[in-house]
Amino acid sequence: MNRDYYEILGVPKNATEAEIKKAYRKLALEHHPDRTHGDKASEEKFKEINEAYSVLGNPDKRSQYDMFGHNFERMGINQDDIFGAQGTSSIFEDLVGDVFSDFFGGRRNSKNRKIRGKDVEAVLELEFEEAVLGIDKEFTIKRTGVCDKCGGTGAKQGTRPTTCRSCSGAGQVYYRQGFLTVTKTCHVCNGSGYEIQDKCRDCNGTGRVLREENISIHVPPGVDNDSVLRIQGKGSAGHNGGQPGDLHVIIKVKEHPVFKRDDQNVIVDMFITYTQAVLGDTIKVPTLYGEEELNLPSGTDSGKEFVLKHKGVISPYDRRKGDQIVRVHIEVPKHVTERQRQLLKEFDEISLHENKNASKGIFDKVKDLFQ
Ligand SMILES: [Zn+2]
Ligand SMILES: [Zn+2]
């Protein structure tokens, strides 16, 4: 059902940000409702283009999309975000707005336009086990919120913002250029239509303050290093009553002394003795879910890998569980006692005798070559 976003914009997977932007502008202009006069197919196409660009045009969302495809909303990105307060028109205006103001005489009224707040990023460091098994975490973030003192108006307590004298509250100014009427956002009030005479001291007239806030989040099991969890509405406050942005929590996972991670699989290196390798043995192996017994067959080579099914990490996307890979390595003793030395030599002599007929030594093979 869902068409590939790259395909929609007609760009290759490795397209640069500039290439994506260019492709979007071209297509959006072509299919813009103002030009296609209510053509249904074009309208659908226009929506599709905007949806694709709202993801590919944002580096964070793009990398999530690259990783998870259309399932990426499972990471917490939902469709509201695509057609939310920062909907098609505002993304569009940011990019092509001026061109259209010129073409269509400023059809859009930007007075008191609701503007969604900025997204905020925070880094959360987790222990290996916390990331693998999931955990509830509380931490502190800094984000811009609405000023409590003035309630976000920016005007000193007891006063109110007044109508902007430059634009008479329209938020935009008009002027003629040749036969066209051009509109621009009023630079005195930045489009709000209001002016502030006495600024609120707490926020210096901005209506917004930066503050620390405790956030508690549920980290689902299986998140990996550099995973991003999105928490809706916990970013900076919006302007003119716009929705707040989102909080992007970037997960950093600490290294573990025993467990290493390879996607959903866990790798553990185990050291065994020469005797265990030759004769075989049952060894105890640590897993994320407790100790497991592993049967080493006789004649196990160093570097051999054993798979413990479903002892890996649960995928936060499709709930599938990976395996644990046990790599065994033969540990060569660095110091031996005199008795050990004797026994090893004896072992060697017997081995030479026993194996003589079974396989020729390397020197015999070389000799054969030159005969
Ligand atoms: Zn204030
Ligand atoms: Zn103004």
Side-chain angles (χ1 to χ4, degrees):
M1 264 316 275
N2 289 322
R3 268 184 72 201
D4 182 71
Y5 287 152
Y6 290 97
E7 206 180 296
I8 291 169
L9 294 184
V11 291
K13 288 250 190 282
N14 59 359
T16 63
E17 271 179 53
E19 282 166 347
I20 289 172
K21 195 165 169 176
K22 200 176 155 197
Y24 167 73
R25 278 175 159 225
K26 190 172 166 284
L27 287 168
L29 276 168
E30 222 168 273
H31 296 280
H32 193 271
D34 283 350
R35 284 196 152 179
T36 54
H37 306 292
D39 175 54
K40 275 277 168 247
S42 274
E43 201 181 304
E44 278 308 303
K45 183 90 188 152
F46 184 66
K47 266 192 185 172
E48 205 178 47
I49 295 160
N50 276 293
E51 183 182 324
Y53 182 72
S54 71
V55 173
L56 299 188
N58 174 320
D60 281 348
K61 288 181 194 166
R62 183 182 174 186
S63 70
Q64 296 210 350
Y65 178 72
D66 288 346
M67 268 192 274
F68 312 120
H70 283 278
N71 292 328
F72 78 130
E73 56 263 53
R74 290 184 201 190
M75 275 307 283
I77 292 179
N78 61 34
Q79 298 293 321
D80 288 350
D81 195 46
I82 293 168
F83 289 114
Q86 170 87 314
T88 54
S89 71
S90 73
I91 295 172
F92 185 80
E93 276 178 8
D94 287 348
L95 283 179
V96 248
D98 279 353
V99 178
F100 267 89
S101 303
D102 290 355
F103 272 139
F104 301 101
R107 198 179 52 83
R108 285 165 220 289
N109 180 8
S110 63
K111 183 193 171 186
N112 286 338
R113 200 179 82 195
K114 288 183 178 177
I115 300 170
R116 183 177 174 274
K118 284 207 172 93
D119 292 341
V120 169
E121 278 187 355
V123 173
L124 179 62
E125 201 176 33
L126 295 178
E127 299 294 337
F128 187 88
E129 292 91 336
E130 293 176 334
V132 161
L133 304 173
I135 192 167
D136 290 317
K137 272 275 177 189
E138 210 172 90
F139 61 106
T140 310
I141 57 155
K142 269 189 179 171
R143 66 165 180 148
T144 307
V146 173
C147 174
D148 288 333
K149 196 71 168 271
C150 61
T153 65
K156 199 174 140 191
Q157 254 186 331
T159 70
R160 275 192 197 176
T162 53
T163 305
C164 173
R165 282 165 296 179
S166 174
C167 62
S168 310
Q172 40 189 217
V173 285
Y174 305 81
Y175 59 94
R176 289 188 73 82
Q177 196 172 59
F179 55 90
L180 285 173
T181 305
V182 180
T183 55
K184 285 269 186 253
T185 301
C186 171
H187 70 277
V188 174
C189 63
N190 285 320
S192 74
Y194 295 108
E195 268 185 288
I196 294 160
Q197 306 300 333
D198 285 313
K199 285 179 183 172
C200 163
R201 274 200 208 149
D202 280 25
C203 62
N204 197 27
T206 60
R208 304 146 66 76
V209 282
L210 186 67
R211 56 176 160 240
E212 289 195 337
E213 194 173 320
N214 279 335
I215 295 278
S216 46
I217 66 164
H218 173 68
V219 178
V223 295
D224 208 345
N225 201 34
D226 292 331
S227 294
V228 180
L229 300 177
R230 196 190 68 132
I231 302 164
Q232 218 172 353
K234 290 292 181 188
S236 291
H239 296 269
N240 298 330
Q243 284 182 0
D246 298 330
L247 171 66
H248 296 269
V249 182
I250 302 158
I251 302 290
K252 293 287 172 196
V253 184
K254 286 187 201 165
E255 275 188 30
H256 193 279
V258 174
F259 301 117
K260 284 174 196 68
R261 195 163 160 183
D262 180 21
D263 278 334
Q264 285 353 98
N265 290 340
V266 168
I267 298 165
V268 170
D269 287 298
M270 292 293 292
F271 292 89
I272 59 172
T273 65
Y274 179 68
T275 316
Q276 283 176 309
V278 174
L279 303 180
D281 198 2
T282 301
I283 59 169
K284 286 199 161 71
V285 178
T287 78
L288 293 167
Y289 312 95
E291 242 173 32
E292 284 284 317
E293 285 193 340
L294 176 67
N295 288 314
L296 295 175
S298 55
T300 295
D301 282 320
S302 194
K304 180 150 175 66
E305 294 183 349
F306 296 89
V307 177
L308 299 176
K309 274 274 169 209
H310 308 306
K311 294 292 174 191
V313 180
I314 295 169
S315 160
Y317 316 114
D318 58 16
R319 314 294 302 162
R320 262 199 303 235
K321 211 173 190 186
D323 303 324
Q324 176 166 318
I325 315 289
V326 182
R327 293 194 296 219
V328 298
H329 308 274
I330 296 169
E331 197 159 42
V332 178
K334 299 288 177 280
H335 303 285
V336 286
T337 63
E338 196 46 45
R339 168 114 175 99
Q340 282 174 318
R341 181 188 298 276
Q342 269 173 17
L343 285 171
L344 280 170
K345 286 218 156 175
E346 201 177 316
F347 174 78
D348 226 22
E349 272 159 31
I350 298 167
S351 302
L352 261 172
H353 181 73
E354 288 289 318
N355 295 344
K356 211 163 209 170
N357 302 323
S359 65
K360 281 182 174 177
I362 187 151
F363 291 106
D364 290 334
K365 283 183 188 164
V366 173
K367 237 191 274 166
D368 284 351
L369 267 175
F370 294 103
Q371 265 173 3

